[in-house]
Amino acid sequence: MDSIIIVGAGPAGSTCAETLAKNGFQVTIIEKEKLPRYKACGGAIPKEMLDKFKIPSEIIQRYFNSLTLHHIANNIVIDRKGEGAILWRSDLDAFLTQRASNSGARLEENTSVTNIIRKKTGFEIKTTKGDFKSDWIIAADGVNSTVLRLCGWRKFLRNELALTITHEIALSKQIIEKRLGSDQLHIYFGKQYFGTGYGWLFPKKDVISVGWGCRLPDIRNSNQQFQEFTEMVHDQIKGGKLIKKAAHLVPVGVRSIYRDRIIAIGDAAGFVDPLSGKGIPYACLSGIIAGQVLKKAIDKNKLDEFKELYEKKLTQAFLTALIAKRDIQPEVYGSDENILRFMKLWQNHRSTEIAMSLWKNK
Ligand SMILES: Cc1cc2nc3c(=O)[nH]c(=O)nc-3n(C[C@H](O)[C@H](O)[C@H](O)COP(=O)(O)OP(=O)(O)OC[C@H]3O[C@@H](n4cnc5c(N)ncnc54)[C@H](O)[C@@H]3O)c2cc1C
């Protein structure tokens, strides 16, 4: 049976490992951190994902039933229905990785990949804790993927990346609910503050995740823009204690997905919604799809068909929508008027529906 190394124990790597281990493969996850570990993330996931991935209620910080959309320039607030949950990524990732381990995947934590040498058959993977051998490598190591860099894949272009800044602000549950409601996510739009991005206040149980994000070419001065945003939401976060700060990139464009026994999944491939920055569901879905397609290709001994089938399944699941959103994103966020138009449409339609319609008329 082929051996597989998955680099990265985020949602992409762990769901892929679980899928492959359940199908009898020898899978090792190499993760540079020790789980559970903090990961900058709003931690919002849609209800469908809770059900599909059987996420237990014990790791949920808060359920939400609506999104409150704030249009700053026009001082307009729109409520949109939207169900889901907020979690700490430390909890979600530890849970998914434990489930992969329970299915038979081996986890090597505190282990960083430092070099990859292609052998006649398979790979030798050098890490901070020794060498590993495998027939396949799955790059699930996020937006700055070391695996793909070492294997010579192209980097994300500047306009395929957004910068985010997050502050985690601790406050009591009562104060959070008084200021933000008990089941709402707050999203802020405005060219001046966010360029081609947006800001958010996502309430966990007793912490508000304050976030700001914008595509790299459109940033005026990230620290200043973040500061201006926090001043604007001062009444919501005042008196809170800053417990964590982080800056992190998000891919907003898809790069290659496969080359010669190296498979990219999740953020490493660029599977993030360019309009919303949502990436957890696509990380999980791509992990599962990669695992299923790999099993099929190996079982049928048709490895040359892997790429085509992987791309086809991704396209059916979400890839076309992400590409459409990437193409219309600059226009949707191009002016306060366009943002308002999008917000109004989003109130009653799914963002994919709007994106596909705008894309077809482009
Ligand atoms: C501020 C912010 C807010 C976000 N909010 C949301 C949200 O609310 N909802 C949502 O759906 N998405 C959100 N996203 C996107 C989401 O976080 C990502 O799409 C998701 O984490 C992708 O999962 P992944 O498994 O592909 O990669 P990651 O979660 O990045 O995991 C990669 C793993 O690889 C490990 N790794 C990296 N390099 C190495 C190496 N050399 N060797 C070994 N291990 C390595 C890392 O330690 C990490 O554990 C947000 C992103 C950001 C930055």
Side-chain angles (χ1 to χ4, degrees):
M1 187 56 101
D2 286 34
S3 65
I4 299 161
I5 295 273
I6 297 176
V7 183
S14 54
T15 49
C16 189
E18 184 185 3
T19 308
L20 287 163
K22 278 184 173 162
N23 280 293
F25 286 95
Q26 216 186 81
V27 191
T28 304
I29 310 176
I30 297 179
E31 166 57 50
K32 72 173 178 189
E33 308 276 348
K34 170 125 184 70
L35 300 179
R37 53 95 182 89
Y38 175 81
K39 157 86 177 72
C41 186
I45 56 176
K47 183 172 183 306
E48 309 90 78
M49 187 183 157
L50 294 178
D51 304 337
K52 186 174 170 66
F53 296 101
K54 299 191 175 63
I55 308 297
S57 56
E58 300 85 74
I59 64 165
I60 287 167
Q61 287 282 314
R62 188 180 287 279
Y63 289 94
F64 61 86
N65 290 306
S66 69
L67 313 181
T68 305
L69 313 175
H70 303 255
H71 189 277
I72 298 162
N74 293 37
N75 201 14
I76 289 175
V77 177
I78 291 178
D79 272 314
R80 176 189 194 276
K81 202 171 150 30
E83 289 178 79
I86 298 274
L87 317 91
W88 284 112
R89 283 291 302 279
S90 45
D91 293 335
L92 178 68
D93 294 11
F95 168 77
L96 292 174
T97 304
Q98 184 59 52
R99 203 158 68 182
S101 297
N102 295 346
S103 303
R106 183 174 140 207
L107 174 65
E108 295 288 343
E109 295 176 284
N110 270 331
T111 309
S112 272
V113 170
T114 53
N115 203 3
I116 295 175
I117 299 163
R118 192 178 276 281
K119 296 284 180 186
K120 234 186 208 148
T121 57
F123 302 90
E124 188 173 298
I125 297 156
K126 305 241 171 237
T127 77
T128 45
K129 287 206 182 155
D131 299 350
F132 294 77
K133 286 189 173 24
S134 76
D135 299 302
W136 294 80
I137 300 185
I138 300 186
D141 50 346
V143 61
N144 297 316
S145 177
T146 304
V147 169
L148 300 184
R149 178 174 52 76
L150 291 171
C151 294
W153 290 31
R154 81 159 174 86
K155 286 184 185 166
F156 285 111
L157 306 173
R158 215 173 124 67
N159 66 359
E160 291 173 330
L161 290 168
L163 175 69
T164 63
I165 300 177
T166 306
H167 281 189
E168 308 287 3
I169 309 275
L171 276 163
S172 75
K173 184 169 177 283
Q174 289 80 355
I175 291 183
I176 291 178
E177 293 183 356
K178 195 165 163 217
R179 293 177 183 175
L180 298 181
S182 61
D183 63 349
Q184 285 155 261
L185 303 185
H186 292 260
I187 302 178
Y188 297 80
F189 298 96
K191 275 299 283 178
Q192 187 200 336
Y193 293 89
F194 314 106
T196 46
Y198 66 89
W200 64 91
L201 297 182
F202 283 4
K204 293 181 166 102
K205 234 176 240 163
D206 47 13
V207 169
I208 301 178
S209 290
V210 182
W212 172 96
C214 179
R215 273 166 32 129
L216 291 188
D218 306 315
I219 295 174
R220 179 170 33 92
N221 176 330
S222 53
N223 285 328
Q224 191 186 328
Q225 284 173 277
F226 181 77
Q227 171 74 22
E228 288 165 7
F229 173 48
T230 55
E231 283 163 13
M232 187 177 62
V233 293
H234 174 257
D235 284 350
Q236 282 74 34
I237 59 175
K238 68 184 173 199
K241 182 170 180 234
L242 176 62
I243 55 169
K244 186 91 190 166
K245 285 184 190 182
H248 205 284
L249 292 171
V250 176
V252 287
V254 176
R255 59 173 162 180
S256 311
I257 54 170
Y258 175 77
R259 199 186 297 165
D260 212 2
R261 290 179 174 249
I262 302 165
I263 303 167
I265 58 178
D267 275 19
F271 298 150
V272 175
D273 180 329
L275 288 180
S276 68
K278 177 170 78 179
I280 302 169
Y282 307 116
C284 295
L285 284 172
S286 61
I288 291 174
I289 292 171
Q292 289 171 340
V293 174
L294 188 53
K295 175 177 164 42
K296 209 172 197 173
I298 291 174
D299 283 354
K300 291 189 171 170
N301 200 16
K302 289 194 168 166
L303 303 183
D304 49 334
E305 288 178 10
F306 175 85
K307 183 172 184 226
E308 196 183 325
L309 190 54
Y310 181 42
E311 193 162 351
K312 186 175 160 196
K313 294 282 178 195
L314 291 172
T315 302
Q316 284 166 351
F318 60 78
L319 206 50
T320 309
L322 295 193
I323 289 167
K325 287 178 177 180
R326 176 200 65 193
D327 289 353
I328 61 150
Q329 200 264 8
E331 195 185 324
V332 167
Y333 285 96
S335 67
D336 283 322
E337 294 71 43
N338 287 4
I339 293 170
L340 185 57
R341 208 169 300 134
F342 175 75
M343 269 174 62
K344 286 182 174 168
L345 286 169
W346 198 26
Q347 187 174 18
N348 297 310
H349 302 272
R350 297 177 74 91
S351 64
T352 298
E353 220 179 289
I354 305 167
M356 293 310 288
S357 152
L358 291 173
W359 196 49
K360 279 178 191 147
N361 295 324
K362 215 171 140 64

